[in-house]
Amino acid sequence: LKIGKRRRDVDLVNLSGGGAMIATDVELTMWQKIELVLGGDFTVECAVRWIRDDRIGLEFAHETQIGGDSTKRDEMLLDVLR
């Protein structure tokens, strides 16, 4: 996660076209704006939609489409899923 200028490592539990679920002990609040960093460089603007224990649901702020070279994109997505 990127919160302001700080980066924090989190576990990616689930990823969909509209959002993601993460597991973390980072203190976040409802509707807080953050960025989810995927593949080291690709960031997605998100808002916190729900919090349950150490699980947090993030909603992407914009429709998310990953463009660019399909080989690099596929490698990045597989890396994220691993």
Side-chain angles (χ1 to χ4, degrees), residues 1-53:
L1 289 182
K2 188 174 176 187
I3 307 164
K5 294 183 180 184
R6 294 182 59 204
R7 284 187 178 223
R8 297 288 305 264
D9 289 333
V10 299
D11 292 322
L12 181 65
V13 177
N14 193 345
L15 183 65
S16 71
M21 181 186 351
I22 60 171
T24 184
D25 61 354
V26 174
E27 297 275 333
L28 298 172
T29 59
M30 292 294 295
W31 305 111
Q32 183 175 354
K33 303 281 191 219
I34 60 171
E35 291 182 327
L36 182 62
V37 182
L38 302 171
D41 298 320
F42 181 74
T43 61
V44 182
E45 187 180 343
C46 302
V48 175
R49 285 285 278 168
W50 55 264
I51 301 170
R52 289 188 202 115
D53 300 319

